[in-house]
Structure formats: structure tokens, C-alpha cells
């Protein structure tokens, strides 16, 4: 799908300012939309919106279809009469520039539970009907997700495959016929047996549903509120000619409602719940051992037998939340790297073909047009390019990658095609200021030769200008680059498990001068929104 010439800003909602320690869907989100509109931008790009677990990565969510309750605005709940001034009167002194996730969770979750209980007791008949309509409409994923999250809380956050593991039987004192190694293997196997709950036996599910009625209701209410608040914000943005550009990780987390509820769709050991085949990428120039992500590989044969039904629901849920979807690791739909269970690196994996053409044909027949952008960074084969181009998905260009080789570098603007999206950098890159400061002499020399000079406004504005001036239909830059911030404002450091996803900006940073400068450049390079036709 070809998109009109436009530009926008990459900013995850957690990075918005807010007095609750994390960005949310309250007034500050609407102020950011106003800033985008005043700046002539037509795109707000975000990261995945799902509920996050350990490490707080939006790419390792407990659900591929649910929303993150931490993004719910308490101020909007107060406006609906679900919280009071007293409820919100004693907040911690949260840091303004970072998200302290532990403090946020311990503060916001009790508020959300209080709001859910108030709603349950006092909501009007119309509001109760709206809640029930939401639950019915999203039943495919919501029932399993709500029970899954309630069960996680009841089991102190344990992963689903650890719930109620069966105890091994006592050793037989008369059994001396088994070798020591054999005994150890047998003990490990017995200890690894999944419980009836992990296996979703009907009796176990019925028992726990009866025990967790309130917790399940809370989880459904959180999703109802998230989608209600997010939909209102999306409508506000769309009315101002701003599209929401979201993100879909190709794989789902092992510890997720998706895998627990649909184990037959994943390469999962039926006895242990562990992945028999794990996702990753092979060794390359950047890593001698490759990357072992640990996500379970899809059972594509089972997916095909069900005519990709799970994918329809997943994309429909995402397209409720966003106008454009970026598919992370798109090359995995043509061929994927699978690593056997027990490996500690990605070295001993194999490439396997994926039914990408069949999948997207089926989705297109079901849904219609596919507003998809393919993340095609890294080593991409002609077969991956053919799959991308068959469905006219735009690919990605990152300017930070453009100056490390010769004129054949595909990330140099004169090598772009129009049907692509250009970035100064992505959420995985350093900020442009930090990137520039870390360049070696040869790369910096190449950059100087290409730009001619670097003006007083700084390298970040030179790179934003370069992105805007390119022929790529869409140009995106992280807000950190618009603000000219250094490495301290970086969103993610791939391979580093802690200290990511927590950057926030302060409200006073979005000035009218900044907006005017961005709008002027956007106008020069023909990326302003076209006037709406009159009625």
C-alpha cells in the first residue's frame, strides 16, 4: 500500500509527561496531538501497546491484543466519577524524566482496582451495557487474557507453565536398577510435568474462574477503559489529520495469554510447556553467536489448517488501535531462523520457509487493504524483497546506517524508492546527537562530505532536514531528535536487559518555536497535510 507524502514523530505514550509517573491517555496526550498538528505532522508513531512484564519491554507483552492498563488516565477516571480527589491526593514524588515502573505499578494498580469496583457498583444501565458489549465483541482474546492475568496475580507472577507444577513422587528405596544419570533425567522429567491448570483442563479452569471472579472482572474493566480512552484519543488525532502508526512484533512472548490459550499454534513441548523451537537470528557481523530471543516459533502447519484465524483476530484488534501497522522482523514471514530447545546461543539454528504469501493473501481476502509497513532492516534476501513488494508494503530506511560504506549503501537518500519510510533513527538506535558523538573519523568524514556542512542548529536538524527532503513517502523522527537530546534520552539499548523503555520528556520542552521550525521544514519539502475538502 502506497502512502501519501507525509512526516511524523516517534514517541511511545509512556514517554508523555504526567503526574502519575508514566505517560498516559490524559490531557498531555491530547496536548502532544495538538503539537503534532501545529507542526504540520500527519503521523504519530508508537511502540506496541500491550501490557508488559519483566524488563518493561513493549515487545514482550502478556498479550498480542490487549492494552497496557498503566496507560489508563486516572484523571479521566475521576472525571467519570470513578475516582475522587482524595484518591489522587497522596501521590509519590515520581521522577519527571524517567518511569519508575515499580513505583508506578504500586501506585496506579490500586487506583484502577478502586475504579473498577466503583464502576461495578454504581455504573448506569447504559454504561453497563457498553461494558458488556465490549466484552462480547472482544471475547476471542479477552476471556482468556483476563483469566490469564488473574491467575498470574494469584500465583505471584509465575509464568503459566510453572503454575501448580506436580510434585515428583518419593524415590523408591528398592529401585537400584537405574543408572545415576537415568535417575536424574527421570526426576527432571517428572518435575517438569505441567499442571491441569497449565494444560487448561476444564475442571481446573472452572475452579479458578469461581475463585477469581473479582480479579477477572477487574482485568476486563481495565481493558474496557484502555480501549475507551485510546479510541477517544485516536479519534481526536484522526480529526486533525494525524494517523496512528503502530507496531506489531512478529512473535509473541512465551509467557503470554496467546501461548497459554493456543499452545497448538506454537512449537511447545506438551509435557514441559517449554518451546521446542525458539526464535532468533543467526550469527552475523554484529554478533558471533547470533541473537536467541527465546520466543516460541509458530506452528505454521496448524496456523494454515485453521486458515490463519488467529492472525485475523490479531490484526483486527491492532487495526482498532491504529491506522498503520509496522511489522517487526518482517523477514520472518518469508523464512525464519529456528533454534532447538536447550541451546544457549543462536548458532545451531536453521532457516525454515514461512507461508508469508499465503498468510497475507488470506488476510487481504478477509480484511481488505493492508496498511502495513515492513521492518526490513539488516540482511534481506531477494525472496524477502519479493514478498514485501508483492503486497506493496513500504520498507524502512535509517539514516544512521547510511555513512559506514560507499555510494551503494541502501540507506543513502539517493538510493531510496518512494514507497518507503525514512527515519533519522528508531527506538533501537541512539539519539542522533548521541550517534553523531560516537561516530568514528571515517564515518564522520563521509557524513561531512554528504551534508556539505553542519549548521548552527545542530546535527539533529540536519538529519531531520535530510529525511524530510528525501523521496521516501513518509519521514519519521523520534521526539528525542526534534529536541536535540543526547544518549541519556535513548529509549532502548538492544541486548541490555535493564534500564530501557523509561525515558520521558517534560511538558515545557514542546515550545511554539520548536513547532514553527518543524512546520517550516515540513512545508519546504512538501509534507504538510492537504486541506480537507469542504462539505
Amino acid at each position: 500500500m502506497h502512502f501519501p507524502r507525509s512526516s511524523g514523530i516517534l514517541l511511545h505514550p509512556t514517554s508523555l509527561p504526567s503526574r502519575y509517573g508514566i505517560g498516559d491517555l490524559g490531557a498531555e496526550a491530547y496536548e502532544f496531538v495538538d503539537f503534532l498538528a501545529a507542526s504540520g505532522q500527519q503521523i504519530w508513531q508508537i511502540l506496541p501497546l500491550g501490557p508488559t512484564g519483566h524488563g518493561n519491554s513493549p515487545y514482550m507483552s502478556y498479550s498480542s491484543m490487549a492494552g497496557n492498563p498503566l496507560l489508563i488516565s486516572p484523571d479521566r477516571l475521576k472525571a467519570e466519577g470513578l475516582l475522587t480527589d482524595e484518591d489522587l491526593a497522596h501521590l509519590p514524588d515520581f521522577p519527571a524524566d524517567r518511569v519508575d515502573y515499580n513505583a508506578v505499578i504500586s501506585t496506579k494498580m490500586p487506583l484502577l482496582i478502586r475504579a473498577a469496583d466503583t464502576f461495578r457498583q454504581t455504573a448506569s444501565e447504559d454504561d453497563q451495557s457498553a461494558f458488556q458489549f465490549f466484552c462480547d465483541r472482544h471475547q476471542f482474546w479477552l476471556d482468556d487474557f483476563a483469566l490469564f492475568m488473574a491467575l498470574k496475580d494469584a500465583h505471584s507472577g509465575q509464568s503459566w507453565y510453572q503454575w501448580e507444577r506436580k510434585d515428583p513422587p518419593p524415590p523408591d528405596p528398592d529401585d537400584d536398577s537405574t543408572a545415576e544419570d537415568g535417575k536424574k533425567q527421570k526426576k527432571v522429567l517428572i518435575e517438569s510435568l505441567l499442571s491441569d491448570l497449565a494444560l487448561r483442563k476444564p475442571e481446573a479452569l472452572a475452579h479458578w474462574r469461581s475463585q477469581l471472579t473479582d480479579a477477572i472482572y477487574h482485568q476486563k474493566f481495565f481493558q474496557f477503559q484502555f480501549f475507551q480512552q485510546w479510541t477517544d484519543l485516536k479519534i481526536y488525532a484522526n480529526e486533525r489529520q494525524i494517523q496512528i502508526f503502530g507496531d506489531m512484533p512478529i512473535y509473541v512472548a512465551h509467557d503470554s495469554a496467546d501461548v497459554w490459550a493456543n499452545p497448538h499454534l506454537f512449537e511447545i513441548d506438551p509435557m514441559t510447556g517449554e518451546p521446542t523451537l525458539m526464535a532468533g537470528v543467526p550469527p552475523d557481523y554484529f554478533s558471533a553467536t547470533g541473537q536467541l530471543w527465546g520466543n516460541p516459533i509458530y506452528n505454521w502447519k496448524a496456523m494454515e489448517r485453521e486458515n490463519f484465524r488467529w492472525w485475523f483476530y490479531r490484526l483486527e484488534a491492532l487495526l482498532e488501535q491504529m491506522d498503520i501497522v509496522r511489522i517487526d522482523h518482517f523477514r520472518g514471514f518469508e523464512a525464519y531462523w529456528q533454534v532447538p530447545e536447550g541451546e544457549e546461543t543462536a548458532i545451531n539454528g536453521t532457516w525454515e520457509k514461512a507461508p508469508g504469501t499465503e498468510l497475507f493473501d488470506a488476510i487481504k481476502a478477509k480484511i481488505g487493504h493492508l496498511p502495513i509497513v515492513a521492518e526490513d532492516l539488516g540482511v534481506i534476501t531477494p525472496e524477502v524483497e519479493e514478498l514485501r513488494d508483492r503486497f506493496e508494503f513500504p520498507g524502512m530506511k535509517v539514516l544512521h546506517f547510511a555513512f559506514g560504506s560507499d555510494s551503494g549503501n541502501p540507506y543513502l537518500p539517493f538510493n531510496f524508492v518512494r514507497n518507503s519510510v525514512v527515519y533519522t533513527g528508531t527506538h533501537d538506535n541512539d539519539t542522533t546527537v548521541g550517534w553523531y558523538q560516537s561516530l568514528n573519523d571515517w564515518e564522520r568524514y563521509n557524513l561531512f562530505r554528504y551534508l556539505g556542512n553542519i549548521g548552527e542548529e545542530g546535527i539533529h536538524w540536519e538529519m531531520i532536514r535530510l529525511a524530510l527532503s528525501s523521496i521516501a513517502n513518509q519521514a519519521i523522527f523520534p521526539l528525542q531528535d526534534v529536541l536535540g537530546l543526547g544518549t541519556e534520552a535513548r529509549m532502548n539499548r538492544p541486548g541490555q536487559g535493564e534500564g530501557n523503555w523509561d525515558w520521558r520528556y517534560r511538558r515545557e520542552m514542546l515550545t511554539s518555536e520548536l513547532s514553527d521550525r518543524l512546520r517550516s521544514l515540513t512545508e519546504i519539502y512538501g509534507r504538510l497535510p492537504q486541506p480537507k475538502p469542504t462539505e
Side-chain angles (χ1 to χ4, degrees):
M1 178 177 178
H2 290 259
F3 295 96
R5 189 169 175 82
S6 57
S7 61
I9 290 178
L10 168 60
L11 178 82
H12 197 49
T14 57
S15 296
L16 292 161
S18 159
R19 68 187 181 115
Y20 299 101
I22 189 171
D24 61 33
L25 307 180
E28 292 84 356
Y30 289 81
E31 290 175 6
F32 180 68
V33 170
D34 291 340
F35 174 82
L36 289 172
S39 305
Q41 306 309 297
Q42 299 180 65
I43 299 169
W44 178 4
Q45 183 167 355
I46 58 176
L47 306 181
L49 289 171
T52 59
H54 177 73
N56 310 305
S57 170
Y59 293 88
M60 293 295 283
S61 173
Y62 291 134
S63 169
S64 66
M65 305 179 203
N68 189 345
L70 296 181
L71 295 176
I72 295 172
S73 165
D75 288 335
R76 292 198 58 185
L77 295 178
K78 175 178 169 291
E80 293 180 25
L82 301 178
L83 293 174
T84 65
D85 286 331
E86 177 61 24
D87 292 331
L88 306 179
H90 306 289
L91 298 175
D93 185 17
F94 292 112
D97 302 316
R98 298 281 173 185
V99 180
D100 181 341
Y101 281 95
N102 290 333
V104 167
I105 291 168
S106 63
T107 300
K108 287 194 76 169
M109 294 311 296
L111 293 175
L112 297 181
I113 291 172
R114 190 170 305 165
D117 290 338
T118 302
F119 180 86
R120 196 176 193 177
Q121 297 163 9
T122 65
S124 67
E125 186 174 334
D126 286 346
D127 287 342
Q128 292 286 6
S129 296
F131 173 68
Q132 189 58 51
F133 176 79
F134 170 83
C135 293
D136 292 343
R137 182 179 180 187
H138 298 89
Q139 185 178 18
F140 173 79
W141 63 266
L142 181 60
D143 285 354
D144 287 321
F145 171 74
L147 178 58
F148 175 85
M149 294 303 295
L151 285 167
K152 279 193 74 68
D153 287 344
H155 291 85
S156 304
Q158 281 185 326
S159 300
W160 65 266
Y161 42 89
Q162 296 172 329
W163 295 340
E164 299 183 335
R165 277 200 185 275
K166 298 176 181 177
D167 293 328
D172 182 355
D174 299 326
D175 182 9
D176 58 358
S177 60
T178 307
E180 188 63 29
D181 288 345
K183 286 184 179 180
K184 290 180 180 178
Q185 291 174 4
K186 183 178 179 181
K187 184 174 184 294
V188 168
L189 177 61
I190 293 172
E191 287 179 332
S192 297
L193 291 177
L194 294 176
S195 67
D196 288 348
L197 181 57
L199 291 170
R200 296 177 56 85
K201 296 291 182 66
E203 298 83 1
L205 294 181
H207 167 75
W208 279 100
R209 283 195 183 100
S210 68
Q211 297 296 309
L212 299 174
T213 302
D214 290 343
I216 292 170
Y217 181 88
H218 292 157
Q219 292 295 333
K220 290 185 176 182
F221 172 81
F222 300 160
Q223 292 306 306
F224 172 63
Q225 280 295 330
F226 170 85
F227 274 84
Q228 192 172 57
Q229 292 191 10
W230 179 258
T231 299
D232 289 346
L233 179 61
K234 182 177 179 297
I235 290 172
Y236 186 85
N238 290 165
E239 287 174 345
R240 286 149 185 79
Q241 295 182 266
I242 295 166
Q243 292 189 304
I244 304 297
F245 183 0
D247 206 340
M248 184 188 82
I250 182 174
Y251 293 115
V252 301
H254 180 205
D255 185 23
S256 67
D258 302 278
V259 177
W260 176 64
N262 306 281
H264 66 292
L265 298 179
F266 302 87
E267 297 291 354
I268 294 291
D269 187 317
M271 293 195 70
T272 67
E274 296 291 345
T276 56
L277 295 169
M278 298 176 288
V281 290
D284 57 19
Y285 174 80
F286 300 100
S287 173
T289 59
Q291 297 179 40
L292 184 60
W293 300 331
N295 310 67
I297 293 289
Y298 293 116
N299 182 339
W300 281 113
K301 290 182 179 178
M303 293 275 190
E304 288 187 88
R305 282 195 297 269
E306 296 186 3
N307 197 28
F308 305 110
R309 176 171 174 263
W310 181 83
W311 283 99
F312 297 151
Y313 282 107
R314 184 181 186 187
L315 276 170
E316 283 180 341
L318 289 177
L319 289 173
E320 275 193 56
Q321 303 172 30
M322 53 199 69
D323 303 294
I324 306 167
V325 178
R326 187 195 85 130
I327 297 181
D328 195 40
H329 194 59
F330 176 80
R331 71 107 52 246
F333 286 108
E334 193 282 322
Y336 55 92
W337 187 252
Q338 66 177 27
V339 183
E341 180 183 14
E343 294 290 336
E344 296 183 357
T345 72
I347 293 175
N348 295 320
T350 57
W351 284 111
E352 301 293 334
K353 294 292 291 183
T357 299
E358 294 81 0
L359 171 65
F360 291 117
D361 276 338
I363 293 173
K364 189 173 183 180
K366 180 81 171 179
I367 297 178
H369 77 288
L370 301 178
I372 287 173
V373 170
E375 186 273 290
D376 56 350
L377 305 175
V379 179
I380 301 300
T381 66
E383 291 80 8
V384 177
E385 294 176 346
E386 181 181 350
L387 177 64
R388 179 198 65 200
D389 295 343
R390 174 189 176 95
F391 294 94
E392 298 186 319
F393 297 153
M396 289 175 55
K397 307 295 182 183
V398 179
L399 293 178
H400 287 189
F401 301 157
F403 305 99
S405 58
D406 57 21
S407 60
N409 189 309
Y411 300 109
L412 287 168
F414 60 77
N415 290 323
F416 291 0
V417 296
R418 291 189 182 277
N419 192 33
S420 58
V421 186
V422 59
Y423 294 79
T424 50
T426 73
H427 62 278
D428 283 333
N429 292 98
D430 200 345
T431 67
T432 289
V433 170
W435 163 80
Y436 175 72
Q437 291 172 345
S438 67
L439 287 178
N440 60 43
D441 292 343
W442 184 68
E443 289 175 306
R444 187 169 298 190
Y445 173 67
N446 282 345
L447 176 64
F448 285 160
R449 291 179 66 202
Y450 196 91
L451 295 177
N453 70 307
I454 296 177
E456 294 181 357
E457 294 177 337
I459 185 61
H460 53 295
W461 282 108
E462 295 292 346
M463 297 298 281
I464 290 172
R465 181 187 291 271
L466 189 59
L468 288 169
S469 65
S470 76
I471 64 170
N473 285 338
Q474 295 163 298
I476 308 288
F477 12 87
L479 182 63
Q480 293 95 316
D481 287 355
V482 178
L483 297 172
L485 301 179
T487 299
E488 74 283 352
R490 184 169 181 168
M491 192 63 170
N492 183 42
R493 295 166 176 82
Q496 179 175 308
E498 301 291 337
N500 295 319
W501 319 110
D502 61 0
W503 175 78
R504 299 171 68 201
Y505 75 90
R506 297 177 182 241
R507 179 186 284 111
E508 62 268 20
M509 292 179 172
L510 300 187
T511 65
S512 57
E513 178 186 2
L514 196 68
S515 175
D516 291 345
R517 178 182 295 175
L518 184 54
R519 184 181 185 90
S520 176
L521 285 176
T522 305
E523 180 181 20
I524 290 170
Y525 297 112
R527 295 184 184 272
L528 287 180
Q530 297 299 308
K532 289 184 179 180
T534 56
E535 292 291 338

